Amino acid sequence: MHKEAGQRPGKAAEQEAIYFSFLAEVGITKHMGALESTKQLIELCGIEQGQAVLDVGCGVGITACYLTKRYGCRVVGIDITERMIDRCNERARREGVEDAVEFRVADAQDLPLEDGRFDVVISESVNVFLADRRRAMREYVRVARTSGRIGLNEMTLLRSPPPAQLLPYMYQVAGFEGEIPTVEDWEDLLRSAGLREIVAYARALNVREEARSRLERFGFREMVSAVGRVLVLALKDPASKAFIRQTLGGAKLLSRDVLEYLGYGIYVGTK
Ligand SMILES: C[S@@+](CC[C@H](N)C(=O)[O-])C[C@H]1O[C@@H](n2cnc3c(N)ncnc32)[C@H](O)[C@@H]1O
């Protein structure tokens, strides 16, 4: 595995870079709530046919291609991990939408995009990883048109403070070690970027529903290919093997205890 996309200083940056490059190799990226939460985000952002949408931290491009196919949106997807953008372009070609969607390597905190270009800016499970979330929010507001919407789906601490013994498991589920914001923290982030009419709600993860919705998001064939790639990586690359053992191991990972504290929230505001 190669390393890329350091966001925070020191060890945390390295862990995140390993996490993202692993996901890019496997060819699957995720956010909590899977396709169901994407649909909720689309609805709350009022995304309509043909609109210009920016997907920040687009991962392997599933939501960007979905918006193009389903809503005829003109989508730009940006991601800091170069390998993710390769995956996005492969997907766009495979799904026949390469002319309607554009993918670029870029940092959420410094968008190489002009002011007021987008009707809607969305971002799913990205901002929790950023070193400077306020700066990123200012960027989203800058590239949105007046009255445009900004919508996030982000990991959220449902109850505070989490017991110390759960923290290692929460970090494993989250994919990073650091403070996970509460609903109030996320709301405050949107408000302090000058957004109005803020809608915010948090959800606990329903493991069964999550599995169903993930399968719907990825499709059966893609899930099987991803599992195959995980197995190949585990056999070929010792760093990947250690990473897989660390992130997938541990019966407590999705235990009721962890899910009582760690969930996700949808946050939408209007410029
Ligand atoms: C957990 S994945 C979610 C991907 C995608 N949104 C999804 O829901 O499938 C987080 C993504 O954020 C990207 N990312 C992390 N830091 C970023 C930054 N500063 N700017 C842009 N993308 C970033 C990672 O490369 C990764 O693809």
Side-chain angles (χ1 to χ4, degrees):
M1 272 190 308
H2 61 285
K3 291 174 188 164
E4 241 176 302
Q7 301 306 304
R8 296 167 205 274
K11 199 163 168 253
E14 201 163 305
Q15 283 171 347
E16 283 166 25
I18 291 172
Y19 177 58
F20 294 136
S21 83
F22 173 79
L23 290 182
E25 282 312 316
V26 170
I28 272 190
T29 49
K30 57 190 170 48
H31 54 262
M32 289 188 182
L35 186 59
E36 271 321 299
S37 62
T38 296
K39 287 178 181 168
Q40 287 157 17
L41 191 62
I42 290 171
E43 194 182 325
L44 285 171
C45 287
I47 292 179
E48 290 171 10
Q49 285 290 331
Q51 283 193 321
V53 179
L54 173 65
D55 183 5
V56 177
C58 57
V60 295
I62 300 175
T63 296
C65 290
Y66 178 78
L67 281 168
T68 303
K69 284 199 305 196
R70 188 72 190 259
Y71 292 85
C73 289
R74 292 164 286 125
V75 184
V76 175
I78 68 105
D79 200 287
I80 203 158
T81 308
E82 216 174 316
R83 186 79 180 102
M84 293 287 184
I85 297 302
D86 296 340
R87 292 286 190 198
C88 289
N89 286 321
E90 287 162 22
R91 174 180 305 280
R93 278 194 294 275
R94 214 166 49 237
E95 299 194 9
V97 292
E98 69 270 38
D99 294 337
V101 59
E102 177 193 342
F103 293 107
R104 290 200 207 172
V105 178
D107 185 342
Q109 297 152 125
D110 192 8
L111 295 172
L113 297 162
E114 60 271 34
D115 297 3
R117 171 167 171 188
F118 296 96
D119 297 299
V120 176
V121 178
I122 59 164
S123 187
E124 298 172 298
S125 195
V126 177
N127 297 272
V128 76
F129 297 102
L130 301 181
D132 193 344
R133 295 181 192 128
R134 285 181 193 272
R135 182 170 162 187
M137 280 305 301
R138 285 198 298 274
E139 282 293 82
Y140 308 162
V141 173
R142 178 181 68 74
V143 301
R145 67 162 164 83
T146 304
S147 300
R149 297 228 169 91
I150 318 288
L152 313 180
N153 170 357
E154 293 293 339
M155 262 182 274
T156 300
L157 191 64
L158 302 176
R159 289 173 62 192
S160 191
Q165 71 271 19
L166 282 187
L167 286 177
Y169 302 105
M170 288 177 63
Y171 293 152
Q172 272 176 264
V173 177
F176 81 108
E177 287 189 23
E179 219 165 278
I180 295 163
T182 61
V183 179
E184 293 74 29
D185 294 333
W186 286 116
E187 267 186 290
D188 176 57
L189 186 73
L190 268 66
R191 196 164 294 117
S192 59
L195 295 176
R196 57 192 170 83
E197 295 168 16
I198 292 168
V199 178
Y201 66 85
R203 289 252 191 285
L205 211 64
N206 175 327
V207 176
R208 191 175 293 181
E209 172 54 23
E210 184 77 10
R212 187 204 61 73
S213 188
R214 262 188 207 178
L215 186 61
E216 193 185 353
R217 182 172 190 248
F218 301 133
F220 183 71
R221 281 179 63 169
E222 198 161 330
M223 284 287 253
V224 171
S225 314
V227 170
R229 281 195 288 268
V230 169
L231 291 176
V232 171
L233 279 169
L235 287 173
K236 274 186 17 191
D237 178 15
S240 295
K241 187 176 177 181
F243 180 78
I244 292 162
R245 191 173 286 158
Q246 188 208 332
T247 43
L248 303 183
K252 216 169 175 174
L253 269 188
L254 286 179
S255 74
R256 219 180 288 155
D257 294 348
V258 170
L259 298 183
E260 236 176 79
Y261 288 88
L262 184 63
Y264 67 96
I266 306 248
Y267 306 98
V268 177
T270 303
K271 177 171 173 181

